[in-house]
Amino acid sequence: MSLLHRALPALLLSSLLACGPSDPEDCSRYGISLSPPPATARHLTCSSTACGDGQNPPTSGDHCGDTLRCRVHDTEQNRCVWLHNLEHGHAVFLYNCPEGCPEVVATLESLRQEAKTGSNGAIRALVAPDSRIPTRVAALLWRRSWGADAPDANAIRCLLQHQDAEAPEPELACLP
């Protein structure tokens, strides 16, 4: 048997392993970091204003027992509700444009299409306005956030590589 025939199985195996899932990219160059675990992540009534981890926007902490549909919302949504989406491993894309910004919404909707899909076939991400975020746009996962004055596809794609990573209830489907 030639050397090539003996080495071929090992070469094939190493090629297959190289094509497997890779570790998520380090996104710190985009200003994305991992926040400490929240002190609590209890379900509150949806009328509560005591939700979140004290960050703006919040990325973990106490939240509502309901979740939002994973779609583009055109009205501001209750933060306590979308925090529960984050707990399930969903991505949340926010924008703050009181004067309107259809180009920003279109970009976020396009990037939403790149989020993971649930067992029901629905994309596990939502887009919504939020007048309280300190930047024009923000992209969130459980314990991770990114914000800027314009969407950055590379930053958001890097963030999406971490979808489900720290979520307490990862990979749960979302209603469309």
Side-chain angles (χ1 to χ4, degrees):
M1 182 182 269
S2 75
L3 180 60
L4 178 61
H5 285 108
R6 286 189 300 235
L8 192 56
L11 286 171
L12 287 173
L13 180 60
S14 66
S15 311
L16 289 173
L17 291 175
C19 294
S22 60
D23 289 334
E25 183 180 344
D26 175 8
C27 300
S28 59
R29 72 175 179 264
Y30 299 109
I32 300 168
S33 61
L34 183 61
S35 300
T40 63
R42 300 168 296 166
H43 287 175
L44 307 172
T45 63
C46 291
S47 61
S48 177
T49 57
C51 63
D53 55 10
Q55 295 184 50
N56 184 20
T59 61
S60 65
D62 295 341
H63 53 275
C64 178
D66 295 336
T67 58
L68 290 173
R69 292 181 174 276
C70 286
R71 62 178 180 83
V72 177
H73 299 268
D74 58 3
T75 58
E76 196 154 341
Q77 301 297 308
N78 183 332
R79 286 179 161 198
C80 286
V81 180
W82 57 249
L83 270 168
H84 197 175
N85 286 78
L86 295 178
E87 182 185 43
H88 288 190
H90 305 163
V92 173
F93 301 142
L94 304 171
Y95 60 94
N96 182 0
C97 307
E99 73 289 350
C101 52
E103 71 291 341
V104 168
V105 176
T107 300
L108 293 176
E109 165 58 14
S110 175
L111 290 163
R112 186 185 86 82
Q113 302 295 320
E114 298 182 33
K116 292 182 179 179
T117 303
S119 59
N120 62 351
I123 296 166
R124 297 174 45 238
L126 63 97
V127 176
D130 187 312
S131 63
R132 295 187 289 170
I133 61 174
T135 55
R136 194 165 185 186
V137 294
L140 314 172
L141 296 174
W142 186 261
R143 296 180 49 210
R144 292 183 192 269
S145 68
W146 170 85
D149 288 327
D152 180 334
N154 292 327
I156 293 172
R157 286 182 181 120
C158 195
L159 179 78
L160 285 174
Q161 290 180 35
H162 296 270
Q163 191 171 355
D164 293 313
E166 284 76 36
E169 300 175 18
E171 301 179 16
L172 292 181
C174 188
L175 293 174

